[in-house]
Amino acid sequence: MLQRLKSSLIAGRQLGPLEDELLRALWTRGDATVRELIDASVVDGAYTTIMTTLDRLYKKGLLERSPEGRAFRYRPKQSEAELNQNLVAAGLKELLASSAEHGAPISFLVDTISEHDAALLEHLQEAVARKRRDLRKKEPR
């Protein structure tokens, strides 16, 4: 499911298969140049194709890069877990903004969670209680 979210929500654009493959390779390696990715047989493709694809990921804000000789060294801007968290948050914000009646998306969320795993409702309840406590602490007295 997160893969489908990734494919549709990153910077409002889809990630192609090669983009996804390169992003995963960089999460595993930490950082790399185009040549290192090709030499390690991490991906299959022409140098210019890999270079263009990494540049696209950079322009989408998913990668950082630093000059290294005549090439660039690329590294992910965030971990896979951070990206997944941001994508889920963006999806939930979109869901909540999609309805004038705020109760409908929340009801849908609770129904979906309980259909997937009813035990998760307990985690949701605990998270809501924790957030309420945090918000009360921040209220001016």
Side-chain angles (χ1 to χ4, degrees):
M1 182 219 161
L2 285 175
Q3 185 53 42
R4 272 184 263 132
L5 270 174
K6 266 185 226 167
S7 294
S8 62
L9 290 177
I10 292 179
R13 303 178 194 145
Q14 262 190 310
L15 274 189
L18 183 56
E19 289 175 313
D20 185 61
E21 189 177 352
L22 287 167
L23 192 54
R24 289 185 180 286
L26 289 170
W27 278 325
T28 300
R29 295 177 61 95
D31 63 40
T33 63
V34 174
R35 177 60 48 210
E36 289 170 350
L37 292 169
I38 291 171
D39 289 349
S41 299
V42 172
V43 290
D44 192 27
Y47 186 95
T48 53
T49 302
I50 306 301
M51 180 180 67
T52 301
T53 305
L54 288 171
D55 184 60
R56 263 189 302 195
L57 289 169
Y58 169 76
K59 288 177 179 172
K60 287 181 179 183
L62 295 171
L63 300 179
E64 296 175 337
R65 69 182 180 192
S66 55
E68 188 168 298
R70 292 177 30 176
F72 287 107
R73 178 163 295 280
Y74 291 91
R75 77 196 54 72
K77 273 193 169 180
Q78 55 191 333
S79 70
E80 184 174 14
E82 290 167 331
L83 179 62
N84 289 340
Q85 181 179 354
N86 291 336
L87 291 173
V88 169
L92 289 173
K93 285 177 185 176
E94 189 176 315
L95 175 67
L96 291 170
S98 70
S99 174
E101 183 185 329
H102 292 295
I106 292 170
S107 176
F108 171 72
L109 176 65
V110 170
D111 289 345
T112 303
I113 288 172
S114 62
E115 287 172 16
H116 175 74
D117 183 353
L120 290 175
L121 288 175
E122 184 66 32
H123 293 291
L124 179 60
Q125 185 174 2
E126 291 167 6
V128 169
R130 192 170 39 254
K131 182 52 84 174
R132 282 188 176 140
R133 285 192 302 273
D134 291 346
L135 291 173
R136 273 191 233 118
K137 289 178 186 176
K138 294 178 182 178
E139 287 179 354
R141 294 182 193 229

